[in-house]
Amino acid sequence: MNWLLSIALPAAVFATSASSQEQTLKEQEQRPNIIMIITDDHAYQTLGTCDKDSPMPYPNFHKMADEGMVFDRSYCANSLCGPSRACIYTGRHSHMNGYLFNEHAKPFDGSQPTFPKMLQKAGYQTGLVGKWHLESNPTGFDYWEIFPGQGNYFNPDFITPGKDGKRIVTRVPGYATELVTQKSIDWLDKRDKDKPFMLVVGHKAPHRNWCPSIQNLGRAKQFADTIDPPSNLKDDFSDRPDFLKKTEQTLANHFDVWSDEHLIKEVVPEDIRKMIVCPKYEWPMPEWGRMNPEQKKAWYDYHKARTEKLVKDIRSGKIKNKDDILLQRWRHYMEDYLGTVLSVDESIGQLMDYLDKNGLAENTIVLYCGDQGFYMGEHGLYDKRWIFEESFRMPLIMRWKGHIAPGVRSEAFVQEIDYAPTFCDVAGIATPENMATFQGKSLTPLFKTGEHKDFSDRPLYYAFYENPGEHNAPRHDGLRSGKYTLSYLWTSDEWMLFDNEKDPAQMHNVYNKPEYAEDTRKLTELYKQLRQTYQVPDGFPGAKGKLSVTPKWDCAPKGSNANPEPASTN
Ligand code: SGN
Ligand code: CA
């Protein structure tokens, strides 16, 4: 099947030379539908597309990967939910779309160009269900039904547009992942079948505080109890920038035993409480107040037994020191996280089944992604933010039967700013005007084999702005190129460089090592070039102080030395 041929046709729809109305209609029918399924904080380490990339099996992720392409070098642009999503919708880096951080941010400026707006203008019917997290009302969607902010797992609220710009908030009984799936399928069922569609399915899962559905409680336990922890679970943060020691996202010292680990307070005697709690991290379990009596009972019974087991193990000496407590905490964290992903796997299965059963598989491109990466205990951390691989890299699977080669794992360097131009390309609206607003590029050249010269060792720019902020990660930017990750920490004026081939766990900063001097010089030059190419304002992200930026979408590279495709360094 020549996918190029099949998607080259629709481009003609928008040219003035369409021969007849009948022809135009026929071509419009061929425009592919688009579904973007986006989860919140899904780690590629738990993707489930093969035996190697998850501690437990996820049959539907596995099947989707068999039928589509998995991108093993897919990266975000800013490892934080709102900013990352802004990059996805606009196809531009944070300093261009203006959404730099979650906290104290102005709402996303929805007047700027985005892929949903472009598709809507081109005649697609567009829908968005679930997580949005950009505060302002979504633009470019004919239909939207979103969570307020982060949303909730149990009996979540949904916002729909009311009259005069007002928002209608409705609490819906059920579990978030299942509700988002059902509402997405309902929208697909009710859509106008004569038009192509673009649907965003936005899951809350598996975001903190990692609450599996009631029926999935305990289903991940056998895996979490027997797998090996990451080699650097007890990372002491030596041999890297000092600022790392100030981070507040460690499992050992910044994890709440009640709301994050789901221990039941009244079961823990005072002497044991003192042993296990992280000072300053004692919060009520936020989902508890949302549950109905049956959900509460099931949740309580399950976690009471789990807490009693912990207390028993401490009393018997099976768990005897801080390291043992950390390991058990990590196992509880894994169990809850993996259990939460189970519902996402079910959702993928239901959505793919729907497409298959309704004859839509060949004419619908499905993109599955997270909104950034996540630490599953690597470096002793949870959460994301830092440019380390587990946070920078993010899951990406694309399925489009007959158009994207099935069962391929691509090593191409791709970034979330590429999704918007890809969608425009497959929809036949890769007009110069649309494409000039993007900083990413269409991934369609990869569809046949997963390889293409434009994407092999393509350098990728990263920036993180949220400091001050929760978890105290520094403002930093940097790049991924070839085997290297280079980063400048603006908050503390420190550089770090990792040789990912020799040191995949990123435990040693080689920035000042004489044997890396030449590569460091080249990479620093490349970093400057990338900043110029992407029009990063001088002094961004900056060390401290308020930052705000007005969105811009003239993405032609600026400056006499600007090179739109800087050569990578290996
Ligand atoms: C919440 C979480 C943080 C998380 C941010 C951002 N704390 O504030 O741990 O980093 O969201 O996440 S919580 O206790 O309220 O869950 S993001 O995915 O939206 O960027
Ligand atoms: Ca997120």
Side-chain angles (χ1 to χ4, degrees):
M1 181 88 187
N2 183 345
W3 69 267
L4 263 178
L5 196 69
S6 66
I7 67 160
L9 274 173
V13 171
F14 303 95
T16 43
S17 61
S19 55
S20 72
Q21 211 183 357
E22 199 181 303
Q23 177 71 7
T24 307
L25 280 173
K26 194 156 170 275
E27 287 165 356
Q28 276 183 353
E29 277 161 25
Q30 289 173 359
R31 289 189 290 169
N33 307 305
I34 296 167
I35 298 186
M36 178 170 87
I37 305 169
I38 176 166
T39 40
D40 200 353
D41 292 358
H42 193 185
Y44 67 82
Q45 308 91 296
T46 66
L47 189 53
T49 53
C50 66
D51 297 341
K52 286 190 201 130
D53 70 6
S54 178
M56 74 176 288
Y58 291 115
N60 296 300
F61 274 108
H62 203 308
K63 185 162 181 265
M64 188 180 178
D66 286 348
E67 295 173 348
M69 193 174 284
V70 180
F71 292 81
D72 283 324
R73 290 180 172 180
S74 152
Y75 292 84
C76 63
N78 180 340
S79 193
L80 195 64
C81 187
S84 181
R85 287 159 196 260
C87 293
I88 288 175
Y89 287 113
T90 61
R92 293 184 290 285
H93 280 282
S94 304
H95 61 272
M96 297 292 277
N97 65 48
Y99 207 76
L100 304 171
F101 32 74
N102 281 344
E103 292 179 21
H104 321 296
K106 279 191 273 177
F108 176 70
D109 180 344
S111 68
Q112 61 188 307
T114 62
F115 81 79
K117 286 166 81 176
M118 292 171 188
L119 291 166
Q120 188 184 45
K121 194 172 157 210
Y124 272 69
Q125 54 193 314
T126 54
L128 162 67
V129 180
K131 178 96 181 232
W132 165 246
H133 209 202
L134 289 171
E135 295 179 58
S136 49
N137 283 353
T139 52
F141 293 96
D142 304 327
Y143 173 85
W144 53 266
E145 190 167 7
I146 56 172
F147 295 138
Q150 298 283 12
N152 283 95
Y153 282 106
F154 290 98
N155 312 313
D157 291 341
F158 283 89
I159 305 173
T160 46
K163 277 196 188 136
D164 306 324
K166 291 212 175 78
R167 294 172 149 208
I168 302 166
V169 182
T170 315
R171 188 166 292 197
V172 184
Y175 182 70
T177 313
E178 292 162 12
L179 291 171
V180 166
T181 311
Q182 196 47 55
K183 284 176 181 293
S184 299
I185 290 176
D186 289 348
W187 183 82
L188 287 172
D189 260 340
K190 282 195 224 123
R191 76 187 199 280
D192 174 354
K193 309 249 170 11
D194 294 330
K195 283 185 178 175
F197 66 81
M198 186 282 290
L199 172 66
V200 176
V201 182
H203 286 300
K204 173 184 173 64
H207 192 273
R208 196 179 186 188
N209 307 64
W210 314 293
C211 297
S213 67
I214 296 299
Q215 68 271 25
N216 283 336
L217 283 175
R219 279 190 60 204
K221 184 173 170 20
Q222 56 165 311
F223 304 98
D225 281 354
T226 49
I227 50 176
D228 290 333
S231 59
N232 54 1
L233 178 66
K234 289 189 268 169
D235 193 342
D236 63 1
F237 300 147
S238 59
D239 203 16
R240 275 148 301 166
D242 274 350
F243 196 87
L244 193 48
K245 298 193 176 106
K246 295 189 190 157
T247 194
E248 292 172 4
Q249 58 187 86
T250 65
L251 285 161
N253 299 313
H254 311 98
F255 200 76
D256 185 277
V257 296
W258 319 124
S259 67
D260 291 329
E261 197 176 349
H262 307 151
L263 300 180
I264 302 292
K265 212 172 198 165
E266 57 264 33
V267 180
V268 181
E270 187 56 18
D271 60 323
I272 290 185
R273 193 189 70 79
K274 284 193 184 134
M275 274 174 81
I276 60 173
V277 295
C278 303
K280 294 198 279 180
Y281 285 80
E282 283 200 83
W283 299 316
M285 161 52 187
E287 290 290 328
W288 182 252
R290 316 270 324 174
M291 295 180 199
N292 66 31
E294 296 82 57
Q295 290 164 336
K296 276 186 176 161
K297 179 167 183 348
W299 182 270
Y300 185 87
D301 289 351
Y302 184 80
H303 291 94
K304 180 167 176 273
R306 180 157 115 172
T307 310
E308 283 167 348
K309 169 84 169 57
L310 176 72
V311 170
K312 191 171 148 231
D313 286 350
I314 291 175
R315 287 277 182 252
S316 73
K318 196 172 167 201
I319 291 177
K320 51 186 178 309
N321 54 32
K322 277 194 158 26
D323 283 353
D324 295 342
I325 291 170
L326 173 64
L327 182 61
Q328 183 55 70
R329 180 171 299 160
W330 176 78
R331 293 203 188 285
H332 286 159
Y333 168 48
M334 288 302 289
E335 179 190 332
D336 295 339
Y337 188 98
L338 294 171
T340 307
V341 174
L342 269 169
S343 296
V344 180
D345 186 60
E346 289 154 15
S347 170
I348 298 278
Q350 286 167 22
L351 289 164
M352 296 309 105
D353 268 10
Y354 181 91
L355 297 182
D356 291 344
K357 287 190 181 132
N358 287 278
L360 291 165
E362 271 81 25
N363 202 29
T364 305
I365 175 167
V366 185
L367 183 149
Y368 174 82
C369 64
D371 62 342
Q372 3 79 193
F374 212 70
Y375 299 107
M376 300 308 309
E378 299 84 3
H379 304 287
L381 303 178
Y382 63 97
D383 213 66
K384 53 268 177 175
R385 298 165 190 263
W386 288 81
I387 196 173
F388 293 117
E389 191 73 354
E390 295 82 8
S391 151
F392 189 8
R393 201 178 133 189
M394 62 192 277
L396 176 64
I397 313 171
M398 279 200 243
R399 182 190 97 146
W400 186 13
K401 288 190 174 173
H403 302 262
I404 293 180
V408 172
R409 296 198 83 101
S410 172
E411 294 267 294
F413 280 89
V414 304
Q415 199 163 22
E416 62 189 353
I417 51 172
D418 300 331
Y419 308 166
T422 306
F423 293 146
C424 284
D425 199 3
V426 300
I429 52 166
T431 59
E433 191 197 6
N434 283 345
M435 296 314 259
T437 71
F438 299 134
Q439 295 187 308
K441 51 189 179 190
S442 168
L443 300 176
T444 52
L446 295 165
F447 285 4
K448 260 188 179 170
T449 62
E451 287 174 35
H452 190 276
K453 59 173 177 39
D454 290 355
F455 297 87
S456 65
D457 289 349
R458 166 189 180 209
L460 304 174
Y461 178 72
Y462 175 85
F464 179 82
Y465 289 83
E466 194 174 273
N467 188 291
E470 199 178 0
H471 301 304
N472 199 30
R475 292 190 197 175
H476 61 299
D477 69 346
L479 57 83
R480 184 79 170 73
S481 175
K483 65 178 184 174
Y484 289 115
T485 301
L486 174 76
S487 181
Y488 177 61
L489 278 56
W490 289 74
T491 305
S492 53
D493 187 19
E494 296 170 286
W495 286 90
M496 58 183 187
L497 174 65
F498 297 110
D499 177 340
N500 297 315
E501 250 165 46
K502 288 206 177 124
D503 176 27
Q506 302 180 317
M507 301 295 282
H508 304 286
N509 180 11
V510 296
Y511 186 76
N512 283 319
K513 296 264 183 294
E515 62 273 34
Y516 287 94
E518 181 53 17
D519 279 357
T520 304
R521 192 193 60 71
K522 284 191 201 154
L523 285 159
T524 313
E525 193 47 43
L526 179 60
Y527 163 75
K528 285 186 196 150
Q529 265 185 46
L530 271 183
R531 286 180 54 97
Q532 198 174 13
T533 301
Y534 288 128
Q535 303 180 43
V536 183
D538 286 345
F540 265 48
K544 57 182 180 185
K546 284 205 168 137
L547 267 189
S548 81
V549 60
T550 309
K552 283 204 305 178
W553 50 90
D554 170 10
C555 292
K558 294 282 184 296
S560 54
N561 292 326
N563 172 3
E565 285 302 328
S568 70
T569 306
N570 251 306

